[in-house]
Amino acid sequence: PLALKHAVSLPGRTGLHGMGGIGKTVLAAALAQEPVVRAAFPDGIFWLTISQMPDLLSRQRQLAQALTGQLQVINDLQHGRGLLEDLLRDRAALLILDDVWSADHAMPFNVLGPRCRLLVTTRDQKVLHQLQADKSDEVPHAVAQQEIGEIKQESHAGEHGLQVERTVHGRERLAIEAL
């Protein structure tokens, strides 16, 4: 996914938005497997699925443990945000927040160090704008499906249970936003 690789190379935050089932998660997963992306983030690529009713404190603990290798005591979201900020300050890491339904759900993880990047997938473009979107490149659905098809062919994603086959309707779009 060339456009997505470029967007993630920009400073700050990147977002994918589009209707459910269009392939946002598949594109994010393919990006995370790209050798050039893995090399750009030697301190790790971390994936958190947020979902509609997330336990944000639990997700913060999960990320802190992934970063340190140890269980971390986090008392509240503000404490967790501070801890994650300290842990990410000097790292070159990519944090992927998948299936974000509200900008409030992403804020406890919006703690990027200067060499970190955040990738957010969401159905709601407002989530990305609330996270300070400043640029948007829309990718027509047919192009997105072609990229997803190439990803499936290259990575055999279909063997791993990723279902991305859809009927193409001209108005469906997948958007990549640099935040």
Side-chain angles (χ1 to χ4, degrees):
L2 187 58
L4 189 53
K5 276 194 269 189
H6 172 70
V8 169
S9 72
L10 300 173
R13 297 171 280 303
T14 301
L16 290 172
H17 75 86
M19 63 186 291
I22 201 167
K24 302 175 295 292
T25 298
V26 173
L27 284 174
L31 177 77
Q33 296 301 316
E34 285 285 329
V36 67
V37 172
R38 295 177 82 72
F41 300 106
D43 295 319
I45 298 174
F46 303 93
W47 185 289
L48 295 173
T49 300
I50 302 300
S51 73
Q52 196 168 7
M53 303 290 287
D55 179 349
L56 296 174
L57 200 54
S58 175
R59 297 292 185 280
Q60 283 184 326
R61 288 183 187 121
Q62 178 185 1
L63 179 56
Q65 183 175 2
L67 288 164
T68 65
Q70 300 175 7
L71 288 174
Q72 298 293 314
V73 175
I74 298 176
N75 301 318
D76 58 45
L77 292 178
Q78 211 43 23
H79 175 240
R81 185 177 160 94
L83 176 64
L84 293 174
E85 187 172 23
D86 287 345
L87 292 172
L88 291 168
R89 179 171 297 136
D90 297 320
R91 295 181 191 238
L94 173 61
L95 174 58
I96 300 171
L97 301 181
D98 186 39
D99 195 24
V100 176
W101 286 70
S102 164
D104 291 339
H105 297 159
M107 293 311 289
F109 307 96
N110 192 13
V111 292
L112 304 176
R115 299 182 311 145
C116 289
R117 299 295 177 269
L118 178 67
L119 174 61
V120 176
T121 72
T122 182
R123 294 179 184 198
D124 189 352
Q125 185 176 12
K126 291 179 206 166
V127 168
L128 301 181
H129 289 289
Q130 290 169 348
L131 292 171
Q132 302 177 348
D134 61 11
K135 180 175 115 177
S136 175
D137 298 314
E138 291 217 352
V139 180
H141 180 73
V143 174
Q145 286 301 95
Q146 181 179 355
E147 282 197 358
I148 290 168
E150 290 170 8
I151 291 165
K152 284 177 70 177
Q153 190 173 28
E154 290 173 12
S155 66
H156 308 292
E159 294 174 10
H160 302 291
L162 298 174
Q163 301 296 318
V164 295
E165 288 139 41
R166 300 187 40 76
T167 304
V168 175
H169 301 288
R171 66 182 186 276
E172 293 178 9
R173 294 205 167 298
L174 174 68
I176 301 168
E177 298 204 8
L179 304 171

